[in-house]
Amino acid sequence: MPSVNFASILTSLRSRTYTTRLPLFTRGVLVAILAFWIAGIQSLWDVRAWGGLAPDQVGITTLYRLNTFPFIHLNIFHALMNALALAPLLERFESEHGTLTSLALFFGPLTTIPAFIYLFVEKFILRSNTSVMGASMWIFLLLGIEAIRTYRVNPYFVISTYNIPTWTSPLALLVVIAALVPSSSFLGHLSGLIVGYICGLGYLKFLAPPEKVLRWIEARLNLLGRLPYYISIDQKTYGRFGVLPSSGSPSRAGALRLRRDPRILKLPPYLSLLCILVGVVWLFLLPLDEYSRRTYISENALLPGQVHTYFGGSDQNVFRAYKHEVNSLVGKSNVEINDKLESIVKGLGLKAGRQNFTYRSAGRVYSGENLYAILQAPRGDATEAIVLVAAWENAKEELNRNGVALVLTLARYFKRWSLWSKDIIFLVTPDSIAGPQAWVDAYHDAHDSARVDSLPLKSGALQGAIAIDYAKEGRFESVHVVYDGVNGQLPNLDLINSVVSIAGGQMGMGVAIQEMWGHNDQYPDRLRTMLRGMLKQGLGLASGPHSSFIPYHVDAVTLQPFGDGWQDEMAMGRVVEGTFRSLNNLLEHLHQSFFFYLLMQRERFVSIGTYLPSAMLVAANFTIMAIALWVKSGQPESEAEPVKKEAGSTDSEEMTRPTVERDLFLPLGVVTLCQFLAVVPLYLFNHAPESMLTPTFTIFAIINTALPHALSHLLMTYYTPSAQQYQLIKSFSLLLLGMFLSSLATLNFSLAFLVGLLASPLTFMRPWPQSPAMRIACTVLLNAVAPTAVLVTAALAWHLDINTVLREAAFAWDVCGMYTPVVVWCVWWPAWLAGSVTVLGRPEVGKKKQKMT
Amino acid sequence: MDGGKVTLGRTAGLYLGAAVLRLALFTLFPGLADLLTGRVEISTPVTSFKRLQEGLFLYDHNVSPYDGGVYHQAPLFLPLFSLLPSLPIFTYLLYIAVDILSAGALLKIADSGEAGSSALFTSPRREKRWSGFVIATVFLFNPFTIATCIGRSTSVFTTCAILHAIAKAVAGAPFGAMVALSFAAYLSMYPLLLLPPLLLLCYDRQPPESAIKPGVQSAATNILVVVGVLAALFQMSYFITGSWEFLPSTYGVQLTLSDLTPNIGLWWYFFIEMFDSFRSFFLAVFWLHLSCYVGGLTIRLRRQPLVVLTLLLGIFSIFKPYPSISDASLFLAMVPLYRHVFPLMRYTFVIAAVIMYTTFLGPAFYHLWIYAGSGNANFFYAITLVWGLGQSLLVCDLTFAVLRDEWEVERPEMVGKDIRQI
Amino acid sequence: MRQLFSLLLLSLVALCFAPHASAADYHEQLVLRPLPLSALLASFNFRSNTTLSAFEAHNFRFFPRSLGQILQHAGTRELHLRFSLGRWDAESWGARPWEGAREGGTGVELWAWLEADTDEEADRKWRTLTNALSGLFCASLNFIDGTRTTRPVMSFQPEGNHPNSTMTNMHLLYGVLPHEVVCTENLTPFLKLLPCKGKAGIATLLDGHKLFDASWQSMAIDVRPVCPPGGECVLEMEQTIDMVLDIERSKRPRGNPIPRPPPAHELKCDTSKPYHSGDTCFPADYNANQDWSLSQIFGRTMKGTCPLTDPNVPPVCLQVPNSRGVYITGGATEKKNLDLVSRCYEIAPDTPEFEMVLPRPESNEESGQAAVVVQEVVKPETPLLYAERSFTGHGQEHGGVQTILRNPSPDTEVEFIYMETLPWFMRIYLHTIEARIEGQAGASKQDPLIQEVYYRPAVDRARGTQLEVRMRIPPASTVFLTYDFEKSILRYTEYPPDANRGFDVAAAVITILNPNPNPNATSPRFAAYNLRTTSLLCSLPTPDFSMPYNVIIFTSTAIALAFGGMFNIIVRRFVAANEGPEMTLTAVKERLRKRFGGFLQKYRGKADEKKSE
């Protein structure tokens, strides 16, 4: 394994040196894997069937399978993963034993023995016939060898006096892989691992071809001269790890040893990158059938679509009448509208109430009056309630004529039933965001009485809410279910499922989510749906009248008819009726099903257990790097120098070197300063009036680019920090970042994932004392992923002007309490600032100055 | 930063700064105090300020506050707070004063140098230590301490009493130490377990000029003092409340955990999910486990009683029936006394990371469970587990470091070498 | 209407004194009163007396033996039992029947005066009583345990007249089951107690389907001793059923109760609308629908009269303006009362069936709706107080209770007692209780709204909270009474199966004190008016019920880790890394070597020398 500090792999040069230093056999294997995958793309010759290790296919004539199966993979991900994992391991093995030996071993015993073991067990013990393929067997074999070697160097991880033998680590990996990766052959991996252990313990050395023969071959063919990247038998170094295998070396107490072990120190950057890659790949795997599940109703009381719905018939006449009333109100003032509507609902024998609200945000005033009517459950007691919302204007500020008329008609219809076990509240709000927010806040007495009036009459605990957004005129084809709430909170999946099964199953109309008007249940569409959902969730904006209910643990959705079909308003009403009948059945508050999920399609979802790892991995990469930097900073300066000699220099005498003392106060100060500076943009963008938003933003963006330079200049002039202190600065800021993100991932997965992804370059930033070019390049890169830059880019991408974006953000922050700005300015921005300061740092300068003074 | 010289001015400035900060938090953010008072991480059933107010209200209206399920705190709080003028500012000042008193005691302990060199043991590394000023600063500006003060949890009084007991003991005033300890024990029971190491500490720090008394005798007298003071306090409480029913309601609740309000400890969820038939058995086991550390540590670390006290405080802050972050803040205030063994600790970074992670994840998960309703109780429970593990890791690591420090006195050549335990 | 009832009361009392008292030992009466919004209040009243001497002698005539024996066994002097469902809509229906004295909160409510020397004995008798009653009425009254029982001090007073000797050692106990769902299985035993067993008389109208389809209904049983001055003390048992029927709903045929949309031509449209047409219909005002008949409303006609009833008391009374015409079957005679809003019907004993039809008032559509309403129904009188109670706050940690009390009368102030009985897991903070008049900030100093507070705090798992507040509300003002509480988490065995539904909190009882107790009535009631708020649903934090084992295991593991780590460090002894016994790797090797025997030797040898080179 090459011992460059991974930070430099960003540069093309270093990365090329890495790839170019791969020895011959390794390259061969990788190329073969690639080739077989390419060969597998075309359909006339099924490579997998040809080369896979299928127990019943293996006969005398088809023994080639024993050697071909490692090169053949199921799909690109399989191949990619295996190649990634195999390359370093195999490279080490080869550069240790020489190319010829590896060739001999890997086309001989090291492949066939596990294959035979597998065949034997699979065929004669398990008596089943599952075909295996892929290089993962090799990976485990090599891991086994490595594990035994590590075990000889340091036998135990000591975790607070618990000794865990290091050779068990591949076993853990084996179990994890078998648990996580579907259709992975536990048996195949295990057989590989066993052989690896045996080989590592040195019992298979007799299989290695005698050295004399190999030397002879080498000498005669002058392979060394002819073949590039060829590793001769004489070059191979046993001692490249500073210890001879199984030379009864004094076993040292694990963690300390392990911590100073150079290989471990080289590992973290790779690990971080791997985390990010796996996290992203993981996300893209989710839409596959193996990972996503079909939805199902887990609250049995709901019984969606089990009741016959009677809404229709002469109610249509009533609907038309109410439609006339509503039309006559168009253009009237909010109060006039409410006067008319109140007289109607009072006429129906409902109790009506009104509520004024006035919000101020970004210099604008959002005010209006909500009207709501309570249908008291006959025989019921005011303990529970369901809400039916219709905003006078929907989120796109179209007039919701049919919605309001439909609500009135439904109120009259529901009044006739005696089966309601919960009160039904009909709520008509002037707009789609502020009105419902004001009403829900006041209902739960969480309102600021200066801006929002209290409610004159109340009912019991809200059990659910349905909002109708029916601005479309004429007949429609299918229903669009909008479900994301403020701050990316989601309603209980059971609610969505029941709406889907009532509208789709019972009424026979289509159901769409996330504005995917047409959805063929294939990978691309699923992926698009999921990504749209994640983006909405990540932004955390209110997407409809239902959004404000969800933070109060009231499950709510908005129903929007769309498309041209033969469904009329009555059908829409029947959907609402069916849903209300289902909610009416509820005994307990919805708690059974999922609250954390990503929907791929209306009947396919991924639950938190499956998708959380991707965000957690992205967050973990920061933490890994932070820990690594901490450990590294604990080592003597020369060791911590980023520029490294080639392998071999890091030898065993450094292992006994004591950790140097760390100077914590400057780094802590810098990180705290960055965190506190974050209050400034947060305050600015939430309190600036609308006219000032764009100028403020421009000025801030300019300052933002200059700030790191100023800071690092101050730092270097006054404190002359050392390389160690820069490492610590980075370590602390990364630690904070990782911490915030992993906490955030539980609250708002998508936001955490997006921010983590955008901040991932920070992991690999470091001072560039020597090369100013690198410094400039990194600075440019950082400025490209700065929060401000990203904001502008996103605005351009969606054809919004920055003013609207900021105004919306301020509005959501003031009214709905959306915390996305906090995350951007108080989590991401400080980390970015610290990162840029680190990049601009020049520790050497500092040291020279110290020497001078 | 090491061994900074403590001038009176600096200390006064420090106290002033701490007081101003707290006062500013109290006055500039009026809602903050009540918000923090409601947090389960800060107020437990036996320390909550809101419950204290309720008890006070009942006491002022001649309803016995102990004839109910709300008030579980010591009776002496009632006259104390009812004598206090009703304006909230006085309460704030009282709490700020208590914090500063604790800081003063801590400062005394630190400057005595007991942590580095006790009567029977002198650490080779003792030179590398932080001054009392630094340690007091760490205590006063520790977010946990500040949050506890703003949340007005009554555990600050216990903290103050414990710190003063130790300070007195270090100063060689056994009587004062015992009085302070019995106050702490009276306020919240568990500090009584600190008696054995405290006796040893008093014994070790006897002023040389006074004739060295035999250990047994001094211990006996000290224990007598404790018993006497406790008896007096109980008698006073009896006169205040007019009945003995405060005993079951104050200490019985801690013993039987009848109030299962969530907190950052390990007990509440365990006894929510416990089968009724085994409840009493496991209560006994948990209390036994809590008290079993005293003997072991006292014997093993006989030469450094202050370390025993520190470790015990750490263990209490994990395994108490109703722990809160104020216990953690007390422990974290004592830890910096051992600056000289920090290099011997192995997991400092991991511990710091774990504690910070849990500090942020705990409230998030609690919100998911209680308010958002999208998570269930296991979320918060898992975080309390991790918090407990992180703290216990810190305790273990500190013990290891101290023991190794002792060991290296015998084996000077092993400094910096790798060792293992068999 | 209050005058009317007092008038009835007087007449009844007069009847009691009449020489033929024995005949007056039982009578029944049905009062029908149409309410606005097409509702109809029907209140049945059955009253039977038996002399105390006869009662002591186990000589039951009209008094049901089953109940009487229970009362005697449990030493009950006075008993009040309520089964209620739904809520009384005071805004539109006005004052409650019987001044609210004959109704309870949702669920089952029971309070009784027991004769006992000590509290313990009272509790024992109370337990006996509740268990026996639960058997008698098929209600889970036996769940009224210590945590649900309180002893109110201010809210209740005996209705009957008790000799002072017994007064001294009489204990009032009060229990309530808010979650109990009242249904037909409670009605049947109720009817069994009647002398005519619901076979004849007005009781024949009581049909489970209709009764429990009502918007509000309340069944009450009151047993109290009444001692008329000079007369012999009698034990009076009064059974009352009040229900408010939605006429629309009740008129639906039993055959298809489903409210399908009516055919378009049957819709009552408001033809005045400009857009009115064949397919567009603005529905006419909802409560323009006041024509009904007994058989439509109750699903059957009244089967004669109960022969045992006192003939002097008219069995059926109707309260509509005298201007409205009513059709009745023959054999019944209508008698209009002095006040112009009520009339009663005498029914000859031999009439097999009694039917009454109230036709739609002949008011043509042209005259506005308002006029119609006025002459259709009696204008309901406004109650003395409106009360509405609700929770504030959200989340399962803290909460608050807010009661809005409105005194409608423009001139007289109202003094009343507000009583809450809360479950123990609602830890209320009394120091946060506050009463403020709307508009004024904070509690008014000069005239404190809260006069007196009686508070008995809850004890965990032993006793519920009991809170009684005597308040005084100035005229024409609204008062907010608020206090905070904390939701405590329970052991997982203490949750009901539907834990996430929440826990029902009993209705608050409001007793409005009588400013000048009516002197000429036999028993001057100290309460002028009673009302109950609606009950509440309090959701507690729930643990995960599925994993007691996991929790026990995880916690134990955490503790074991901490303890083990500590233990290891304390007991083990330090050695340098290369001292002490060698690690066990070699032992493994030895075992392997033995296992594989000799043929491995040479390879191992080769390997070793390879290494050593």
Side-chain angles (χ1 to χ4, degrees), chain A residues 25 51 89 153 163 173 367 441 463 536 571 575 608 655 707 719 731:
Chain A
F25 178 65
L89 290 163
V153 180
N163 295 348
L173 185 62
S367 70
D441 287 348
Q463 302 290 314
K536 273 230 186 81
V575 172
I608 183 168
M655 293 190 171
L707 193 57
Y719 299 102
S731 162

Side-chain angles (χ1 to χ4, degrees), chain A residues 771-784:
Chain A
S771 69
M774 282 315 302
R775 196 182 310 135
I776 292 159
C778 285
T779 323
V780 170
L781 172 66
L782 274 186
N783 277 306

Side-chain angles (χ1 to χ4, degrees), chain B residues 127-282:
Chain B
E127 289 321 314
K128 172 176 287 180
R129 67 190 191 85
W130 280 334
S131 70
F133 178 79
V134 178
I135 290 171
T137 318
V138 171
F139 170 71
L140 279 178
F141 290 96
N142 178 349
F144 290 165
T145 321
I146 298 176
T148 315
C149 178
I150 305 296
R152 293 166 297 171
S153 132
T154 53
S155 55
V156 295
F157 295 97
T158 316
T159 309
C160 186
I162 291 175
L163 283 174
H164 273 279
I166 300 174
K168 288 285 181 211
V170 167
F175 182 75
M178 290 308 140
V179 173
L181 180 74
S182 33
F183 261 94
Y186 166 77
L187 291 181
S188 53
M189 196 161 82
Y190 75 94
L192 201 58
L193 293 172
L194 295 173
L195 186 56
L198 200 65
L199 288 174
L200 291 178
L201 188 60
C202 294
Y203 180 71
D204 291 349
R205 298 288 294 195
Q206 286 174 13
E209 62 274 11
S210 71
I212 296 295
K213 283 182 289 181
V216 184
Q217 186 189 341
S218 66
T221 48
N222 287 339
I223 292 173
L224 275 182
V225 172
V226 173
V227 172
V229 177
L230 278 179
L233 286 172
F234 286 146
Q235 199 52 243
M236 282 168 64
S237 322
Y238 175 72
F239 288 136
I240 289 166
T241 60
S243 76
W244 290 111
E245 67 187 352
F246 72 88
L247 284 175
S249 176
T250 308
Y251 307 115
V253 168
Q254 298 206 29
L255 285 171
T256 62
L257 206 83
S258 59
D259 190 328
L260 291 167
T261 311
N263 55 40
I264 60 174
L266 298 173
W267 288 49
W268 63 278
Y269 205 43
F270 188 82
F271 284 103
I272 283 173
E273 300 275 3
M274 173 52 61
F275 314 105
D276 289 334
S277 46
F278 296 113
R279 193 171 299 275
S280 45
F281 168 71
F282 274 98

Side-chain angles (χ1 to χ4, degrees), chain A residues 112-150:
Chain A
T112 46
I113 294 177
F116 273 124
I117 296 177
Y118 173 77
L119 284 182
F120 177 74
V121 176
E122 181 75 10
K123 198 164 182 177
F124 299 109
I125 296 181
L126 299 184
R127 301 211 167 286
S128 62
N129 172 36
T130 44
S131 157
V132 294
M133 60 193 74
S136 48
M137 185 275 290
W138 277 352
I139 297 170
F140 272 94
L141 187 143
L142 291 161
L143 274 177
I145 302 179
E146 284 300 320
I148 293 297
R149 187 177 282 128
T150 324

Side-chain angles (χ1 to χ4, degrees), chain A residues 158-161 251-253 255-257 259-260 489-490 550-553 590 595-596 608 619-620 623 626-628 630 655-656 658-659 661-662 665 731-732 735-736 738-740 742-744 746-747, chain B residues 1-2 128 130 134 339 342-343 345-350 352-361 363-365 367-375 379 393 396-397 400 404 416-421:
Chain A
V158 180
I159 294 170
S160 79
T161 77
S251 55
R252 302 181 175 77
L256 276 173
R257 276 288 136 256
R259 180 182 302 186
R260 302 222 197 84
Q489 273 182 280
L490 301 176
I550 297 176
Y552 288 99
H553 192 15
L590 277 177
F595 287 92
F596 301 102
I608 183 168
T623 314
I627 295 174
W630 170 265
M655 293 190 171
T656 54
T659 61
E661 281 308 318
R662 305 178 175 89
F665 291 96
S731 162
F732 291 150
L735 181 70
L736 279 179
M739 188 162 62
F740 288 138
S742 48
S743 319
L744 185 62
T746 62
L747 295 172
Chain B
M1 214 59 190
D2 297 345
K128 172 176 287 180
W130 280 334
V134 178
R339 170 76 182 79
F342 280 3
M345 293 174 67
R346 301 170 294 183
Y347 308 113
T348 44
F349 189 81
V350 180
V354 166
I355 286 182
M356 289 171 76
Y357 262 78
T358 44
T359 315
F360 280 94
L361 276 172
F365 280 179
H367 172 85
L368 283 185
W369 172 33
I370 292 296
Y371 290 99
S374 42
F379 285 48
L393 190 57
C396 291
D397 210 12
F400 174 83
R404 174 158 186 192
K417 299 265 175 48
D418 289 319
I419 62 165
R420 58 184 234 255
Q421 290 189 305

Side-chain angles (χ1 to χ4, degrees), chain C residues 36-37 285 287-288 321 368-379:
Chain C
L37 298 179
D285 202 352
N287 56 6
Q369 300 292 337
V372 177
V373 177
V374 167
Q375 55 173 280
E376 253 181 8
V377 301
V378 183
K379 182 106 182 54

Side-chain angles (χ1 to χ4, degrees), chain C residues 186-198 203 206 239 241:
Chain C
N186 308 116
L187 177 65
T188 322
F190 187 91
L191 292 178
K192 285 253 174 59
L193 297 181
L194 297 172
C196 293
K197 309 277 184 231
L206 286 172
Q239 287 177 265
I241 294 184

Side-chain angles (χ1 to χ4, degrees), chain A residues 144-430:
Chain A
I145 302 179
E146 284 300 320
I148 293 297
R149 187 177 282 128
T150 324
Y151 178 69
R152 287 183 176 142
V153 180
N154 34 31
Y156 295 106
F157 301 107
V158 180
I159 294 170
S160 79
T161 77
Y162 291 92
N163 295 348
I164 300 162
T166 45
W167 59 266
T168 55
S169 44
L171 288 175
L173 185 62
L174 179 70
V175 176
V176 171
I177 295 243
L180 283 187
V181 183
S183 76
S184 70
S185 154
F186 180 79
L187 187 52
H189 295 171
L190 186 61
S191 48
L193 190 54
I194 291 166
V195 178
Y197 279 147
I198 300 171
C199 177
L201 287 169
Y203 298 119
L204 291 182
K205 295 203 177 301
F206 62 93
L207 293 174
E211 303 222 341
K212 285 190 283 306
V213 186
L214 295 176
R215 282 220 179 70
W216 183 75
I217 298 173
E218 258 186 26
R220 299 307 295 277
L221 302 179
N222 180 15
L223 294 172
L224 201 48
R226 295 188 182 150
L227 297 177
Y229 316 119
Y230 176 82
I231 292 182
S232 142
I233 300 163
D234 303 322
Q235 281 180 4
K236 66 184 180 184
T237 54
Y238 262 117
R240 69 195 295 256
F241 306 113
V243 285
L244 296 177
S246 77
S247 67
S249 67
S251 55
R252 302 181 175 77
L256 276 173
R257 276 288 136 256
L258 217 54
R259 180 182 302 186
R260 302 222 197 84
D261 185 330
R263 284 171 298 166
I264 303 298
L265 267 189
K266 306 286 167 19
L267 216 50
Y270 296 84
L271 274 179
S272 296
L273 187 68
L274 194 66
C275 285
I276 299 173
L277 288 179
V278 173
V280 176
V281 170
W282 192 294
L283 194 70
F284 280 85
L285 285 179
L286 289 178
L288 293 174
D289 282 350
E290 293 84 3
Y291 298 87
S292 56
R293 284 192 273 163
R294 285 190 63 83
T295 56
Y296 57 94
I297 305 261
S298 48
E299 172 61 82
N300 296 324
L302 276 171
L303 299 172
Q306 304 284 313
V307 293
H308 193 286
T309 50
Y310 295 95
F311 185 65
S314 64
D315 287 323
Q316 183 128 26
N317 303 0
V318 180
F319 174 81
R320 291 199 190 92
Y322 286 145
K323 185 78 176 302
H324 280 287
E325 294 294 332
V326 171
N327 287 333
S328 68
L329 291 172
V330 173
K332 292 248 181 62
S333 82
N334 191 359
V335 179
E336 290 168 307
I337 294 171
N338 284 351
D339 290 340
K340 181 61 189 170
L341 295 182
E342 183 173 11
S343 70
I344 293 180
V345 290
K346 281 248 176 81
L348 297 179
L350 308 183
K351 307 229 162 309
R354 305 167 105 174
Q355 176 207 23
N356 280 311
F357 64 89
T358 309
Y359 287 110
R360 283 181 183 71
S361 157
R364 279 199 184 185
V365 176
Y366 305 79
S367 70
E369 188 186 50
N370 293 329
L371 170 75
Y372 66 102
I374 297 184
L375 161 56
Q376 293 184 339
R379 300 180 290 154
D381 204 349
T383 51
E384 296 162 296
I386 326 173
V387 189
L388 180 60
V389 190
W392 186 259
E393 278 180 356
N394 69 5
K396 291 194 275 314
E397 297 184 349
E398 304 160 337
L399 221 54
N400 186 10
R401 305 167 185 248
N402 292 323
V404 177
L406 193 53
V407 164
L408 294 173
T409 323
L410 280 170
R412 183 171 176 282
Y413 172 71
F414 285 164
K415 174 75 175 168
R416 295 211 297 266
W417 285 92
S418 65
L419 51 76
W420 299 117
S421 69
K422 304 165 169 54
D423 290 6
I424 299 178
I425 305 181
F426 304 92
L427 172 63
V428 178
T429 61

